[in-house]
């Protein structure tokens, strides 16, 4: 019986192609557990570093991944190319939900072939914005007594 030769493994690059890392600082705006009023508009900005071996092109996208989208645009193309080792600041506009509580919106990057990637050792963890929503403060009415006209 003839046996086929075992194929030789092809050499691979040490770094995965698509991998993001947290920049310094990572949360440019809206630190975790920031308090927002119901319906308040806010913009979250993350700083990500290209920790992979491939250039991120303008065909790469920032995409909503899970939990609450908070009325954000679900995907947006990167504003420019990001070479390995370079950082990019990515911003998303959100609206705080109308009900009080804790909310989180998870995001990932997506390459031109639709592959999702993020941060963490295996580049599979999403990055996120996490807020606490409180009710809008109700202004206390100010009562001004007008003097009564005297006859």
């Amino acid at each position: 019986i003839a046996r086929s030769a075992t194929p030789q493994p092809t050499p691979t690059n040490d770094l995965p192609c698509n991998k993001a890392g947290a920049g310094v600082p990572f949360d440019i705006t809206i630190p975790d557990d920031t308090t927002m009023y119901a319906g308040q508009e806010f913009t979250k900005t993350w700083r990500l570093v290209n920790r992979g071996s491939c250039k991120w092109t303008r065909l790469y996208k920032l995409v909503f991944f899970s939990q609450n989208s908070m009325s954000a645009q679900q995907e947006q193309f990167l504003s420019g190319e990001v070479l390995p080792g370079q950082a990019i600041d990515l911003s998303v506009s959100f609206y705080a939900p109308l009900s009080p509580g804790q909310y989180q919106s998870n995001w990932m990057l997506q390459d031109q072939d639709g592959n999702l990637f993020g941060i963490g050792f295996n580049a599979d963890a999403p990055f996120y914005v996490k807020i606490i929503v409180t009710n809008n403060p109700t202004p206390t009415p100010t009562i001004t007594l007008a003097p009564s006209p005297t006859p």
Side-chain angles (χ1 to χ4, degrees), residues 17 20 40 68 87 95 97 102 126 137:
C17 176
Q40 181 177 346
N68 193 314
Y95 288 92
Q102 281 196 337

Side-chain angles (χ1 to χ4, degrees), residues 85-107:
Q86 287 185 327
I88 187 172
D89 290 354
L90 300 172
S91 298
V92 177
S93 294
F94 294 95
Y95 288 92
L98 297 178
S99 300
Q102 281 196 337
Y103 294 90
Q104 183 168 317
S105 185
N106 297 319
W107 293 75

Side-chain angles (χ1 to χ4, degrees), residues 26-36 42-46 62 64-72 90-97 102-108 119 126-133:
F26 177 54
D27 292 312
I28 304 293
T29 62
I30 318 297
D32 289 353
D33 298 323
T34 296
T35 300
M36 298 283 175
F42 65 97
T43 299
K44 171 68 179 192
T45 302
W46 299 275
L62 172 64
F64 171 68
F65 180 67
S66 65
Q67 294 207 18
N68 193 314
S69 70
M70 294 191 244
S71 302
L90 300 172
S91 298
V92 177
S93 294
F94 294 95
Y95 288 92
Q102 281 196 337
Y103 294 90
Q104 183 168 317
S105 185
N106 297 319
W107 293 75
M108 293 190 87
I119 59 176
F127 41 97
Y128 56 84
V129 59
K130 188 164 78 168
I131 62 168
I132 299 169
V133 176

Side-chain angles (χ1 to χ4, degrees), residues 46-124:
W46 299 275
R47 179 167 292 156
L48 294 177
V49 177
N50 182 343
R51 297 269 186 238
S53 60
C54 295
K55 172 175 64 175
W56 301 347
T57 69
R58 290 176 184 266
L59 296 177
Y60 279 55
K61 297 177 193 172
L62 172 64
V63 296
F64 171 68
F65 180 67
S66 65
Q67 294 207 18
N68 193 314
S69 70
M70 294 191 244
S71 302
Q73 182 177 326
Q74 302 262 323
E75 61 180 42
Q76 62 188 40
F77 287 101
L78 299 188
S79 59
E81 295 182 340
V82 185
L83 298 174
Q86 287 185 327
I88 187 172
D89 290 354
L90 300 172
S91 298
V92 177
S93 294
F94 294 95
Y95 288 92
L98 297 178
S99 300
Q102 281 196 337
Y103 294 90
Q104 183 168 317
S105 185
N106 297 319
W107 293 75
M108 293 190 87
L109 294 172
Q110 184 180 63
D111 68 16
Q112 67 271 10
D113 298 323
N115 300 306
L116 292 173
F117 66 99
I119 59 176
F121 184 75
N122 294 317
D124 59 357

